[in-house]
Amino acid sequence: MIYEFNHLKPVIHKSAFVHPLAAVTGDVIIGKDVYVGPGAAIRGDWGRIVIDDGCNVQENCTIHMFPGITITLKESAHIGHGAIVHGANIGRNVLVGMNAVIMDNSEIGDESIIGALAFIKANSKFESRSLIVGNPAKKIKEVSDEMIAWKTEGTKLYQQLPKECYETLRECQPLTETEPNRPVASAAYKTWNESKK
């Protein structure tokens, strides 16, 4: 669902994958190897949204702003399921946790991690490598090299996903029962807590 608005059409790099059930409207510029999941709403109707190379905007996320604003999700930003980014700029290689809300004129520094369900109030500024949690959100510590390495590996999975979607994602009729020897997905990437063991 790609929509022109006020004579502005979205620009989507040919290597990016926007799920057919996502909505991308107006002045939106999407870079290389970006994944946009089903249910995502990226509304560039009142301002510009730039999504740099290697980002992902997962299922049911909303990206929007007040009129006249340009916002950027910098390279390799990772926007978790159900998160809302409203008029905020997201730094390079940032992880935004599931259902987090980031309000207008906020700036999230590079390689920061925002916890699930965090609420970042308008006009908040966080320096690079901030671990941000809570409601209202606050920095609780620096992101370690190990944490950002773990985040980067997870984002690489999403950077490979557009190609996999183009190659294998097909609408189909479901099976009525499980076939014998059904393959199981790889478990090469672990949760943060599992990876620390």
Side-chain angles (χ1 to χ4, degrees):
M1 297 187 288
I2 311 297
Y3 300 100
E4 178 179 349
F5 184 82
N6 275 344
H7 311 293
L8 287 169
K9 294 181 181 179
V11 177
I12 301 173
H13 191 274
K14 63 183 179 181
S15 66
F17 179 81
V18 177
H19 193 281
L21 297 179
V24 179
T25 303
D27 194 3
V28 176
I29 301 168
I30 295 178
K32 298 175 187 175
D33 301 319
V34 170
Y35 172 81
V36 178
I42 303 174
R43 282 181 52 202
D45 47 3
W46 295 345
R48 176 172 294 170
I49 299 168
V50 179
I51 301 177
D52 284 345
D53 298 348
C55 290
N56 64 82
V57 178
Q58 298 174 15
E59 293 70 28
N60 301 316
C61 290
T62 299
I63 314 291
H64 197 234
M65 77 295 285
F66 279 107
I69 302 295
T70 294
I71 63 172
T72 302
L73 279 58
K74 291 186 180 174
E75 183 179 355
S76 299
H78 186 113
I79 313 302
H81 311 288
I84 298 171
V85 177
H86 199 276
N89 288 300
I90 307 298
R92 183 184 56 78
N93 207 25
V94 165
L95 169 61
V96 176
M98 293 181 274
N99 289 308
V101 176
I102 306 170
M103 294 299 294
D104 300 276
N105 300 315
S106 291
E107 300 282 339
I108 308 302
D110 296 346
E111 297 189 327
S112 292
I113 294 177
I114 299 169
L117 296 170
F119 177 77
I120 296 179
K121 62 185 181 179
N123 304 307
S124 295
K125 308 286 185 239
F126 290 96
E127 67 241 11
S128 296
R129 290 271 181 120
S130 295
L131 180 60
I132 306 161
V133 299
N135 180 358
K138 62 182 180 179
K139 176 181 176 178
I140 60 167
K141 66 179 184 177
E142 296 282 321
V143 171
S144 68
D145 290 344
E146 293 78 15
M147 291 172 82
I148 203 62
W150 169 80
K151 180 272 174 202
T152 301
E153 284 303 306
T155 300
K156 285 180 184 175
L157 295 175
Y158 274 95
Q159 292 168 342
Q160 297 163 7
L161 192 53
K163 182 176 184 289
E164 292 178 284
C165 286
Y166 282 121
E167 291 175 353
T168 69
L169 185 68
R170 305 283 180 267
E171 191 170 356
C172 68
Q173 292 297 316
L175 302 173
T176 57
E177 57 186 60
T178 304
E179 68 270 44
N181 301 316
R182 185 179 178 97
V184 177
S186 166
Y189 185 71
K190 306 285 187 195
T191 67
W192 172 245
N193 284 334
E194 290 173 324
S195 70
K196 293 189 296 182
K197 293 177 184 176

